[in-house]
Amino acid sequence: MLTHKNLVMTDALYDYLRRVSLRESAVAEQLRTATAALPNARMQVPPEQGQFLALLVRLMGARRCLEIGTFTGYSALAVASALPPDGVLVACDVSEEWTAIARQFWAAAGVADRIALRLGPARETLAALIAAGEAGSYDFAFIDADKPNYDAYYEAVLTLLRPGGLIVFDNMFLGGRVLDPDDTSESVRAIRALNEKLHHDERVFIAMLPLADGVTLALKQA
Ligand code: CA
């Protein structure tokens, strides 16, 4: 058995992490606070994860991005803020209600013109992008939506990415439920199967990070 060398994240250490590294715009902080009051607040990515996505987008010099699962728009705000002025983020979600909040904060942050919100089932939106000839044209994608469809999102997004493009998957630990043999829910089975598939999928280079609820990076092979 491998011994892990990660520190156990205590509240004090997590507080320290945020205190010495978090850079969050005023609008992002307002959006996070507004979302925290909602019943589905835990669907929001933590701010250090938004900052990490923004760093990846800058690192890659990404111009064309995809997001599957937008909710109230925190991660989209982080990604769009890291794009050049002519960059675009296609943000997919099914909820008019949650994304109405998102749009309000994207406008306040001055990035609304970089975000193309596509309301509707993301599988259909991604299929439409492929049908429109956009395969191979995206640099970066964040997948953070309904878990049973993750594998379908992965396959469609992999088609839409250019070689060297990056996919970031959220919630690959599912709160630790992936380890519970008694948990055979559809979401858990889907994430377990995808983790096992990604482990040996030669179309991508991968790294799985114990960040937030488990984040897997998958870089499309050239
Ligand atoms: Ca998530």
Side-chain angles (χ1 to χ4, degrees):
M1 194 180 188
L2 293 170
T3 331
H4 80 80
K5 294 203 166 62
N6 291 308
L7 282 171
V8 172
M9 184 58 76
T10 60
D11 287 348
L13 197 53
Y14 186 54
D15 182 59
Y16 178 78
L17 178 155
R18 288 196 180 189
R19 198 150 35 84
V20 301
S21 73
L22 194 62
R23 300 183 185 186
E24 190 177 41
S25 70
V27 175
E29 188 177 3
Q30 287 156 17
L31 170 54
R32 187 159 58 84
T33 304
T35 303
L38 298 173
N40 290 354
R42 58 182 199 79
M43 282 168 58
Q44 176 166 246
V45 301
E48 67 277 10
Q49 190 178 355
Q51 190 170 324
F52 179 61
L53 295 176
L55 184 143
L56 292 174
V57 166
R58 288 181 188 279
L59 177 69
M60 299 180 73
R63 307 181 87 82
R64 289 170 57 76
C65 302
L66 293 163
E67 178 174 81
I68 320 304
T70 292
F71 188 43
T72 59
Y74 190 90
S75 50
L77 176 58
V79 166
S81 301
L83 287 173
D86 64 341
V88 66
L89 169 65
V90 176
C92 305
D93 205 280
V94 290
S95 171
E96 170 79 53
E97 185 187 358
W98 300 134
T99 55
I101 298 169
R103 281 195 303 246
Q104 186 188 322
F105 286 91
W106 297 339
V111 297
D113 59 343
R114 297 177 204 169
I115 302 176
L117 178 64
R118 300 285 291 261
L119 281 177
R123 288 175 70 152
E124 291 172 19
T125 300
L126 296 171
L129 294 176
I130 293 168
E134 297 191 11
S137 74
Y138 288 85
D139 305 300
F140 175 90
F142 181 47
I143 299 179
D144 183 17
D146 54 309
K147 309 314 171 205
N149 277 316
Y150 258 39
D151 189 44
Y153 298 148
Y154 170 50
E155 290 297 333
V157 164
L158 195 60
T159 298
L160 286 162
L161 284 192
R162 64 168 168 85
L166 183 74
I167 306 174
V168 180
F169 295 93
D170 196 29
N171 303 110
M172 299 304 262
F173 290 156
L174 276 180
R177 291 165 62 201
V178 287
L179 284 181
D180 178 358
D182 295 329
D183 196 330
T184 56
S185 66
E186 196 184 4
S187 292
V188 168
R189 282 186 285 122
I191 294 297
R192 269 191 207 123
L194 180 58
N195 278 328
E196 282 159 26
K197 171 177 167 173
L198 285 168
H199 191 184
H200 301 291
D201 191 334
E202 294 189 348
R203 296 173 298 172
V204 287
F205 296 102
I206 62 163
M208 189 175 196
L209 309 178
L211 167 69
D213 184 27
V215 170
T216 296
L217 308 183
L219 183 78
K220 184 174 175 176
Q221 289 260 28

